[in-house]
């Protein structure tokens, strides 16, 4: 049903690599191996933004409703392949984005780092301009990507038709201290062993895609870049959020208490749909709950 080859034709010329982006043959091979599992054909483009070239991997019918997906920190756009295979690429034109400054094939502009939430909004403005989507955009994100998506929706509600937040962090609840302490060695000095150990702990030993895990091994070579931090996004309005919102929490997440976070989301956004998916961990969500995510997005 799915072809294992992909078409990767950048839309623009590349700029020189910076120390942030060690796109070694090993990294590219691991990245390509995960992307090869996507429903074909996959169109890969490099979109110019004020903060550098942004790699976007797209699949699905060209005239289908546009769905822009932001990964969690360090996960790369390829993490959305399981969701695309599970049905998203049949109902939507899926555009999965590599975050600038994070592991992936985006290329940061030297001397022009993304430092504020305003920078993130401006960067995503340029990405959407470059994509030129047909019709209202559904913007989705997982974890840190959900935090970015929520900030964008709060700032640019007229550009979106819907917002989907998958186990968002720092939106409705803070991090558990134990999670931060467990992640700290991996964040300070990442190694393949530390990355795998952390993922095994957080996911409760769930079976994760071996090709994606090999790609995660390669992300250890990227120099740590301080992520943009800031206040929680304000999605409140006069009784309703600025755009329709659906929030899905991972019931076994270790980064926060899913039930408490869901309660906070319901209180903050009484008009939103908020669900908790039992038995799934935070980092495993896009990989092992792809079917549920595809049905959620298709339901509208």
């Amino acid at each position: 049903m799915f072809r294992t080859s992909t078409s990767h034709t950048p839309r623009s010329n590349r700029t020189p690599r910076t120390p942030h982006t060690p796109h070694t043959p090993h990294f590219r091979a691991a990245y390509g191996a995960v992307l090869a599992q996507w429903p074909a054909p996959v169109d890969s483009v490099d979109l110019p933004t004020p903060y550098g070239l942004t790699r976007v991997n797209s699949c699905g019918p060209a005239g289908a409703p546009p769905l822009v997906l932001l990964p969690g920190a360090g996960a790369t756009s390829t993490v959305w392949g399981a969701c695309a295979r599970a049905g998203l690429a049949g109902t939507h034109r899926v555009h999965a984005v590599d975050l600038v400054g994070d592991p992936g094939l985006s290329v940061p502009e030297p001397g022009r780092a993304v430092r504020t939430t305003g920078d993130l909004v401006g960067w995503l403005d340029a990405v959407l301009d470059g994509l030129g989507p047909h019709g209202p955009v559904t913007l989705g994100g997982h974890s840190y990507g959900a935090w970015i998506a929520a900030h964008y929706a709060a700032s640019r509600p007229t550009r979106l038709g819907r917002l989907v937040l998958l186990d968002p962090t720092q939106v409705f609840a803070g991090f558990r201290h134990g999670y931060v302490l467990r992640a700290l060695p991996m964040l300070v000095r990442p190694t393949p062993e530390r990355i795998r150990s952390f993922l095994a702990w957080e996911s409760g030993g769930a079976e994760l895609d071996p090709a994606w895990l090999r790609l995660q091994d390669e992300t250890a070579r990227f120099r740590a870049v301080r992520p943009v931090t800031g206040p929680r996004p304000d999605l409140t309005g006069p009784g309703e959020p600025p755009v329709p919102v659906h929030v899905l929490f991972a019931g076994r997440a270790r980064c926060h208490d899913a039930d408490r976070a869901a309660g906070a989301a319901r209180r903050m956004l009484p008009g939103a749909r908020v669900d908790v998916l039992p038995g799934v961990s935070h980092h495993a969500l896009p990989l092992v709950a792809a079917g549920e995510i595809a049905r959620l997005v298709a339901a509208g």
Side-chain angles (χ1 to χ4, degrees):
M1 182 176 180
F2 301 135
R3 206 176 73 202
T4 57
S5 62
T6 58
S7 59
H8 301 149
T9 306
R11 184 178 293 171
S12 59
N13 293 329
R14 296 190 175 279
T15 59
R17 301 296 179 189
T18 74
H20 293 80
T21 55
H23 298 147
T24 65
H26 292 294
F27 180 86
R28 286 184 170 277
Y31 187 102
V34 183
L35 204 58
Q37 299 175 354
W38 283 40
V42 176
D43 298 314
S44 298
V45 298
D46 293 327
L47 300 177
T49 78
Y51 303 94
L53 294 180
T54 296
R55 171 59 62 94
V56 182
N57 296 305
S58 304
C59 64
L67 171 63
V68 176
L69 295 172
L70 306 179
T76 80
S77 62
T78 65
V79 76
W80 297 110
C83 293
R85 292 195 305 274
L88 282 186
T91 61
H92 289 76
R93 178 63 172 171
V94 176
H95 304 287
V97 182
D98 279 345
L99 304 179
V100 169
D102 238 32
L105 295 184
S106 292
V107 183
E109 181 71 19
R112 190 73 191 275
V114 176
R115 301 185 185 279
T116 68
T117 55
D119 292 342
L120 285 170
V121 169
W123 164 73
L124 201 45
D125 273 339
V127 171
L128 293 184
D129 290 343
L131 289 173
H134 302 289
V137 172
T138 294
L139 179 62
H142 170 237
S143 189
Y144 178 57
W147 182 84
I148 296 172
H151 269 289
Y152 190 80
S155 299
R156 300 285 193 270
T158 59
R159 297 204 68 170
L160 303 180
R162 186 177 174 218
L163 178 66
V164 178
L165 305 177
L166 303 175
D167 215 39
T169 50
Q170 300 292 86
V171 176
F172 305 107
F175 287 115
R176 281 173 165 163
H177 293 305
Y179 174 86
V180 174
L181 289 175
R182 186 70 182 240
L184 199 57
M186 177 190 65
L187 297 175
V188 172
R189 192 170 70 84
T191 65
E193 294 75 21
R194 287 181 174 183
I195 291 172
R196 291 214 180 200
S197 175
F198 177 78
L199 290 173
W201 168 77
E202 199 284 327
S203 68
E207 291 189 17
L208 304 179
D209 176 25
W212 183 78
L213 285 173
R214 285 193 293 274
L215 177 57
Q216 293 307 108
D217 291 345
E218 293 298 323
T219 66
R221 300 175 184 271
F222 280 70
R223 194 182 79 187
V225 177
R226 182 175 180 176
V228 175
T229 58
R232 294 181 186 177
D234 183 8
L235 292 171
T236 59
E240 292 290 338
V243 295
V245 181
H246 193 148
V247 190
L248 180 65
F249 287 98
R252 291 185 60 189
R254 291 181 182 260
C255 55
H256 50 221
D257 184 302
D259 290 325
R260 289 185 179 181
R266 294 185 183 107
R267 290 190 296 274
M268 182 185 299
L269 303 174
R273 178 178 171 182
V274 180
D275 296 308
V276 177
L277 186 61
V280 180
S281 76
H282 175 76
H283 290 279
L285 184 64
L287 299 169
V288 305
E292 288 83 353
I293 293 169
R295 286 190 288 273
L296 178 159
V297 175

